[in-house]
Amino acid sequence: LDFLRECCIYTVLSDVSEIQDVIHFPGLSDGLAYCVMELLQGRLLAQHLESIRSGQELPLPSHDAAEICDALLHGIESCHNRGVTHLDIKPSIVWEVAQPAGVVVKILDFGLAMLSNLSLLPTEARHFFRPASVMISSADSTGPRLEVDDGSAPEHVQHVPNASDGSEAWHEFVPYAQLSGVGSPWYMSPSRWCGFASNWQRKAIPQPELHLCTMPASVNLWVEKQGGEDVAGIKQVTPISTALQGAVSAPRFPEGAFFEVVVRKVWPATMLSIEDSDSPAGLVGLALGFTRLPPNERTGLPALNERAKDWPQSWVVGYNGRFYQNGEEVTAPLNESPHFSVPEFRRRRAQKLALAGAGADANVDWPVGCLGWSFAELLRDDVVGLLAEDGGYLTVYVNGRIVSRVQADGINDFGPLFPLVELCGMAREVGVPPRPVGPGGEEAQDERLAAKEMQVELIETLLPRSTSPYADVYSSALIAMEIFQSRHRPAVSPVMVKLLMATQLWLHQGRPSVAEHNGMLTALSEWAASSREQTTNSGRYLVPEIEEVIRRVLMAAGGGNSPTCIKTAQEFRAALNERTACSHVSQEFLRSHQPHQAESMHTLKLKRMKSHWLQSHEKKAAHGPDPAKAVVGGTNWDLTPWTLSSSHIRRVLVVLQSQDSRHIASVSISRLEPNVPDELQLRLAECFRGPGRNSSSQQGKPYLFFRDGQLPTDVCPVPLAQLAEANVAGIVLHFVRRVELTPVGMDGDSRSFSAGPAAARIVASALRGNAALEELKANQQGFGNDGADAIGRASYGCSLRRLELARNGITEAGIHALTNALAKPGSTLVHLELSGNELGCVGCKHISEMLRTNKSIQFLGLQKNGIGPDGAVDMGEALMSNCILEELDLGRNSVGYAGSAALAGATRLNAVLRRLNLQDNNLELTAGTKIAEELSAGMQKDLEGFLDPAKDAPLKSKRTSGNPKSYRATGQVQDIHIGSKLESLNLRHNLLGSLGGASVLAALQVSATSITELNLAWNDLGAETARAISLMLGNNSQCILSSLDLRDNKNLGLGAALPRALARLAPTEAGQEESGE
C-alpha cells in the first residue's frame, strides 16, 4: 500500500524537474505492483558532505552551496504547489546530479509524503490517501523505533547508543538518527515532533510506576507491596548491607530525575555502635543515590550486590552526611545548600520530637560528614527526596525542603537514572511512592501544574501544523546550514540530545500519554521553545547574510508569528536569492544553447551591421576564414532574454566546458542578478576571448557580446553607471583596457549612478584577477576610505598600470590597503595619481614604506594632500632605497625646510628620479639655501663667492660627474656620485626670495646635475638672482638649461637687473659666433 501511494505521488510530480522521473507505472489494476524510474548519475548530498567533513574534498564554495539550496527549494516549492508535502527532507534523500545535466538535484523517497489535493489522482487511487488508510498502513504493533540512517551516517556511527552510554555518544548519533516510519529527528520541526508524539502515544498504557527490584532471599532485606507502594525493611542490624535498586528509571520532572522515600520505622540509637560510624551497624542513617547501570532485565535483580557507596556510575549521599561519586568518597564537594538549611532542618526536627514527647536523642552527638548533618537524624514519617538536577547538582529534600545541594559531575547527561536505596544504621523500614509529586512536595505542586498546562498548550498549538508544508521548509533550512558551512559537522544542542534520549525512554516504556509522561513532555516543550535559536548553536560559521535568512525560517518553528518569519519555500528561496544571486533555471534556458535554439550567425550579422568586427569578417569571408577569428557556421548563444543568476552562470560554464559548445561562436548577455560572486564572474570571463591572455589559450573560445557591443575592446563601451545597473561590471571590465569615470557632478548621467564607496566596490569586483584592464581613471568619485580600501584589496594580482584616484576624500586610513597591495611582489602599477586627497603625514608614511619595496611605480602624484615636513622626510628616506620612481609630484603641500632638504638630498642617492615638483609649498630663503646645498653635494661656498665675477679658468665640459664622495645618510656611510640626476625641478610659487633663488642657481652652476628644466616663477626674485642667472649661463657653468621659467618675479625687472646681468655674456657669445663656435 505504501509503495502504491508513493508511485501515485511520483506521477503527480512528473513535471517537476527536481523529482526523479517515472519512466513507467502500469497503475493499480495489473495485479503486479512495479515502477520503472530514471537511472540517476551522481551521489547523495549526504555522501558529498561526509567526504568534505572527512577531509577528502574541499568545502563547497558559496555559489555552489547557493545553487544546491536554490534547486532544492525550487523542487520543494513545486511539490507544495501541487499539494505534496514530503515530510522527510534530509541530505540522504537529496541526489546531486552529475553534470552536465542542467538539473542540479533530485529529491527522492516520497514514502512518508502527504497529498492534500486528491483531485490530481485517479478516482480509484484516492482512497489510499484517506487519513484512516494512512494510519492503518503505518500502524505497526511495535511502533516506531530509533535507528541509524544508513544513507548519511559516517563510519563511526553504526548503532543506536545505549541509555548508559552517556550524552557524548548521543551527541554524535543525533544528526544521523532515524525514527522508523516517521522521519529523521534532526530534521523534524517542533510541530512534526508534536504530531509524532500525539499520533503514536497510547493513552491506555499506564504511566510507569516506580518500584524496587526483587531481592535474593540470602540478603538481610525484605521487599513487599503495601497499599500500592513498595516497602523495604531490614531484618536485623548487622555490619553487612546491600543497596536496593529501582526496577525502572526515576521519573523526570522539569528540574531533573527525582524519587523519594518515606521513613516508616527506625531503630533505637542504643542498638547501634557509636564507635564504628562507617559500619552499617554504626550510628548512621540510610543512603540514597542514582546509578546509570540498569537492573538485570532477565532476572529482575539489581545490577550489583554491593553497598550503594561502592556502585560504579553512581552518585550517593547519606550515612552520616557523606557524598560518594562513582564508588569513591568526595570529601569536599562544592556545596551550594541554602543558608541555614541544616539549622532549620534540626529546628523542625526538634519541634517534631517535642510534639511527640520523645526527646531522648536530642542530646546525641551525631557524627557528620561533608554535608554538615547525618541521615541518622531522620525521624519516622520523614519524606526524603533526591533530585538529580539537569544543571549538574544532587539535591536532598526532607519534608519538601532543601537540606543539601552538592555538585555532582556527569549527572546531567539526560540519560535514565535508576534509584539506589541502602538501609543501614537507624533506617529500619522505608516506603517508595510509585508516583512522587516532585521536588518541593505539595507546596510546589500548584506551580508545577501551571507549568505543565503551559507545556501541554504549546504542544496542542503546534500539533495542527505537523504535516503542513512548513515541515519541509524547516528541514531545508537545516540542510542549508550544513551546505553553507560544509566543512563542519552539525553542532547538536543539549536540548536536542535530551529530547532524543527522552524519546528512547518513552518508546521503551510503551509510549504512554505524553501529557502525563514528565520526561517526554518536558523535553518536547523545551525543544519547541528553543528550536528557533538553532542558528546560535548550529550556524556559528555562517556568513551573517545567510544566517539572518535561516534564522527567520526557524523563528516560525516554535509557533512564532512575527512579520519577518519565513514560512514557505517560495519566501525562503526568494530571501536566499536576494543574498546569493542564485535562482532556478528554466527548461527553456537549459535548451537555449542547442543548435536549433541558438541564433544563427547570419541573423546576428543583420542585427549588428555597425559592429566593426562583423564588417571586417564580411570582407574576409570571400578570401576564406581566419582559423583564429572566423566564426562562419557558428551560432550565437543569445542569453539576453534572461537575467543571469549564479545558477544560470554555472550552467553556462558547464556547457562551454563540454563538447556541447563546439558550435557556439559567441555568447550575448545583457543583465546579471545582484550579488553574483566575483569568483564566478571571473570564471565566466575566462571562457571567452579577451585581451592580455595567452594567444594559444584563446583557440576555440567564443566571443562575448554585451548587448550590441563585441568584446574585447580598447575603451569601455558604455558608462559604468549602465554596467552597474545591469550588474555586469565584473565581467565586461575584464575585456577592456581603459576605463575613465566621469567626475561626479560634471555630467547629468553620472548623478543617477550610485557613486562613492558603492561604485568603488563595483570597480573593485572587476579588478580581481583582471588581466585586461590597464588604465583606470576614477578622479572625483567620492570613493572615500571604504572605496580606496576596496580597490586596494582588489588591485593585487591584476594587470593595472595606471590608477588615478585624485580628489576622492581618501585619508591615511583608506590608503593603507592600497599601499599594502603595491608593496607585494608582482605589482604592475606604473602611474599612481592621488592628488587632492587628505593623506597627511601618516598617509605619506604608508606610501613611503611601500616605495621601499615596490618595483613598478614610476610616477607618483601627491599634490594637495596636507603633507608636512615629517611626511616629506619619510619620503626622502624612502627615495634613497627606491630605484624605480622617476617622477614625484608634491606640489601644494607644506613640506617645509626639513622636508625640502630631505627630498633634495635624496636625489643625490637616487640615480633614477628625474622630475620633482615642490611648487606651492611656502618654501622660504632657508629652504632655498638648503636645497642649493644638497644639490651641490656639500661643495657650496658662501653666497657672495658664488656671485663674484667668474675668474679666468680652463673651460670645463658641462655635465661631467664629480669624484665619488662619502655621504652620511640615515646613519650609514654610502659611496655616491656627487650631484643630482634630476632633470626637472619645479619650485614655482614659493617664498624663496632673491637670495634663495640665487642659491639654487649658483648650486646648479658648480654641481654636476642633469637639470634641464627649472621653474622659479612667483618667487619674488631680484638682482642677486639675476646675477646668479648670468653666471649659471656662462661658459664655466656645469648646467645647461633648456627651460627656465621666471614669470611673475617683478624685482627682476627693477633697474633692468636681469638685462644688465645678461649683457655681460653678450661679447663672449658674439666672439664665439664670429669664430664659428
Side-chain angles (χ1 to χ4, degrees), residues 568-590:
T568 68
Q570 182 181 11
E571 293 173 349
F572 187 12
R573 181 168 161 252
L576 271 184
N577 288 345
E578 184 179 341
R579 285 143 180 90
T580 63
C582 183
S583 62
H584 182 70
V585 294
S586 64
Q587 292 296 323
E588 291 76 15
F589 178 85
L590 295 177

Side-chain angles (χ1 to χ4, degrees), residues 52 58-67 483-484 486 650 679 683:
I52 294 173
L58 294 174
L60 280 167
S62 58
H63 53 268
D64 284 353
E67 185 177 15
I483 294 174
F484 278 103
S486 55
R650 289 279 292 162
E679 62 268 24
R683 287 175 58 188

Side-chain angles (χ1 to χ4, degrees), residues 412-424:
N412 57 336
D413 236 4
F414 309 128
L417 295 173
F418 297 88
L420 285 179
V421 181
E422 182 182 351
L423 298 179
C424 54

Side-chain angles (χ1 to χ4, degrees), residues 590-733:
L590 295 177
R591 296 190 296 267
S592 62
H593 70 284
Q594 298 173 1
H596 63 280
Q597 297 287 337
E599 184 179 20
S600 69
M601 201 62 204
H602 176 68
T603 305
L604 182 65
K605 290 180 187 178
L606 296 178
K607 288 186 175 181
R608 298 170 177 164
M609 290 299 293
K610 294 182 180 180
S611 169
H612 171 74
W613 171 72
L614 289 176
Q615 292 174 3
S616 63
H617 168 68
E618 290 173 351
K619 293 178 182 179
K620 294 180 180 180
H623 302 88
D626 181 351
K629 298 182 179 179
V631 291
V632 174
T635 55
N636 174 61
W637 187 6
D638 188 6
L639 300 177
T640 56
W642 292 279
T643 298
L644 302 182
S645 69
S646 294
S647 298
H648 291 97
I649 294 176
R650 289 279 292 162
R651 174 61 180 169
V652 172
L653 291 174
V654 168
V655 171
L656 293 180
Q657 295 167 4
S658 70
Q659 296 297 318
D660 294 344
S661 66
R662 287 179 296 181
H663 66 283
I664 297 175
S666 62
V667 178
S668 301
I669 65 172
S670 61
R671 293 183 63 85
L672 268 64
E673 288 188 359
N675 303 325
V676 173
D678 294 342
E679 62 268 24
L680 197 56
Q681 296 188 46
L682 178 59
R683 287 175 58 188
L684 179 61
E686 291 173 347
C687 292
F688 301 101
R689 300 191 186 193
R693 298 173 188 165
N694 189 340
S695 58
S696 62
S697 66
Q698 303 290 303
Q699 294 292 336
K701 288 186 176 181
Y703 286 92
L704 177 65
F705 278 80
F706 172 60
R707 296 177 178 169
D708 289 336
Q710 185 226 337
L711 303 173
T713 182
D714 192 53
V715 181
C716 188
V718 297
L720 184 64
Q722 294 184 25
L723 297 180
E725 187 272 335
N727 302 307
V728 295
I731 292 180
V732 173
L733 294 187

Side-chain angles (χ1 to χ4, degrees), residues 297-426:
E297 291 187 6
R298 184 177 58 85
T299 63
L301 297 176
L304 298 174
N305 187 20
E306 301 286 346
R307 297 191 65 184
K309 68 184 184 69
D310 297 326
W311 278 52
Q313 299 186 51
S314 67
W315 299 264
V316 176
V317 291
Y319 306 117
N320 53 5
R322 300 187 182 185
F323 173 48
Y324 296 84
Q325 184 171 296
N326 298 325
E328 297 183 0
E329 183 176 3
V330 181
T331 57
L334 178 62
N335 193 333
E336 294 197 2
S337 306
H339 292 301
F340 307 110
S341 59
V342 173
E344 178 64 17
F345 159 71
R346 286 178 172 156
R347 184 187 67 80
R348 291 178 176 274
R349 179 179 185 275
Q351 287 180 346
K352 188 174 181 180
L353 287 173
L355 289 175
D361 66 346
N363 297 321
V364 175
D365 187 13
W366 305 101
V368 297
C370 62
L371 300 184
W373 64 286
S374 173
F375 278 55
E377 300 179 60
L378 295 172
L379 302 176
R380 182 173 179 175
D381 297 329
D382 279 348
V383 179
V384 187
L386 190 63
L387 171 66
E389 294 185 30
D390 288 341
Y393 287 87
L394 195 64
T395 304
V396 181
Y397 291 82
V398 177
N399 298 321
R401 297 177 180 273
I402 297 177
V403 181
S404 294
R405 184 172 183 262
V406 295
Q407 186 176 26
D409 296 337
I411 204 169
N412 57 336
D413 236 4
F414 309 128
L417 295 173
F418 297 88
L420 285 179
V421 181
E422 182 182 351
L423 298 179
C424 54
M426 296 283 292

Side-chain angles (χ1 to χ4, degrees), residues 950-1032:
K951 301 293 190 292
D952 293 334
L955 184 64
K956 296 181 180 180
S957 61
K958 297 188 176 185
R959 298 183 185 175
T960 56
S961 298
N963 296 324
K965 177 181 178 179
S966 187
Y967 176 76
R968 184 169 300 276
T970 63
Q972 296 181 349
V973 176
Q974 303 179 8
D975 287 336
I976 64 169
H977 289 285
I978 297 174
S980 170
K981 298 301 180 184
L982 277 180
E983 296 177 358
S984 174
L985 177 61
N986 187 350
L987 295 173
R988 176 181 178 276
H989 210 290
N990 282 292
L991 303 172
L992 298 180
S994 186
L995 291 178
S999 300
V1000 173
L1001 292 168
L1004 296 180
Q1005 174 193 346
V1006 299
S1007 302
T1009 69
S1010 301
I1011 291 180
T1012 59
E1013 298 179 7
L1014 179 64
N1015 191 335
L1016 291 173
W1018 282 284
N1019 268 287
D1020 197 23
L1021 305 182
E1024 294 85 357
T1025 306
R1027 189 176 181 188
I1029 291 173
S1030 66
L1031 293 174
M1032 184 193 67

